Amino acid sequence: YFVAWTGVGNNQLNVMRSANGVNWDNKVTLADTSLSSPALAVLGNRLCIAWRGVGNNRLNLMQSGDGMTWQNKVTLGDTTTSGPALAALGSRLLIGWRGVGNDRLNVMRSTNGASFSGKVTLGETTVSRPQLLVRGNRAFLSWQGVGNRFLNILSSGDGAAWVNKFTSRETCIDGPALSELGNNLVWGWTGTNAAHNLNTTLFNWA
């Protein structure tokens, strides 16, 4: 298991690993900084991290073979004011983000984690970071809708064409979390009620 986060005070990126999800060690603090949460994904035998750069809001990525030593930093021309999403669909690495100025959702693809192409700008908008999840041969993109704060999700078989939009009437304060459990997808989110309770729901995506 690997976890990545932005440190308090110095905004530096940190990564830790665990063999059982309980005991964590080998913390690595990178020189790079971010004002938003980073994203992790595995492409082949490489761990990839993506983040929003400080100052220029540019999308950045690096790779590691062990989660300890990071190299091959890539800075993309695209920018975001929220953290990016990252997932591997087969041999393709997908990065998703909220565009600056128009709040539109964007997705790009890469076969090596360094060179990205095929940028898709969707008509959907969000005020927070999106989430990407791959289950089997399909990718899922989830986000918090602008204005109504509804949970939304789209699916894709290639990372280019996104279809089958589903909108839940549940609302969230920030971007949702997305995972899977058995044959179900799992949404997690912070509620818009006064207590801002954490919520989860299971739903089947055939």
Side-chain angles (χ1 to χ4, degrees):
Y1 299 92
F2 292 91
V3 62
W5 72 96
T6 300
V8 174
N10 56 21
N11 297 322
Q12 285 183 284
L13 294 172
N14 301 274
V15 182
M16 284 183 76
R17 64 184 184 180
S18 171
N20 56 14
V22 177
N23 302 309
W24 294 83
D25 56 17
N26 294 313
K27 176 182 173 183
V28 176
T29 299
L30 307 181
D32 291 277
T33 57
S34 180
L35 297 176
S36 304
S37 299
L40 290 173
V42 174
L43 180 67
N45 62 352
R46 307 287 292 175
L47 182 64
C48 302
I49 186 171
W51 71 96
R52 163 201 171 197
V54 172
N56 56 19
N57 291 326
R58 300 269 290 273
L59 293 169
N60 298 270
L61 297 99
M62 277 201 295
Q63 301 180 33
S64 175
D66 57 6
M68 301 287 294
T69 303
W70 294 86
Q71 55 194 4
N72 301 328
K73 179 180 176 180
V74 176
T75 299
L76 305 181
D78 292 276
T79 57
T80 185
T81 52
S82 302
L86 204 62
L89 178 61
S91 61
R92 295 183 296 271
L93 185 68
L94 307 180
I95 185 170
W97 71 96
R98 166 198 176 198
V100 172
N102 57 18
D103 294 334
R104 299 271 288 273
L105 289 170
N106 301 271
V107 181
M108 275 201 300
R109 294 162 287 166
S110 173
T111 57
N112 58 13
S115 301
F116 285 80
S117 62
K119 179 180 175 180
V120 177
T121 299
L122 305 177
E124 309 293 341
T125 56
T126 186
V127 293
S128 56
R129 67 178 295 170
Q131 287 289 336
L132 280 168
L133 170 74
V134 170
R135 193 181 89 177
N137 60 356
R138 296 200 68 78
F140 297 88
L141 177 67
S142 184
W143 71 95
Q144 172 202 31
V146 170
N148 55 31
R149 295 185 173 180
F150 288 155
L151 297 170
N152 298 271
I153 193 167
L154 283 167
S155 70
S156 175
D158 59 3
W162 294 88
V163 297
N164 300 328
K165 180 183 176 183
F166 171 73
T167 299
S168 168
R169 294 303 172 185
E170 300 288 351
T171 57
C172 58
I173 283 292
D174 202 357
L178 190 63
S179 188
E180 62 176 325
L181 181 63
N183 293 324
N184 297 299
L185 295 180
V186 185
W187 253 331
W189 70 97
T190 301
T192 54
N193 60 325
H196 299 317
N197 292 109
L198 293 174
N199 302 270
T200 62
T201 187
L202 294 170
F203 60 101
N204 185 270
W205 193 286

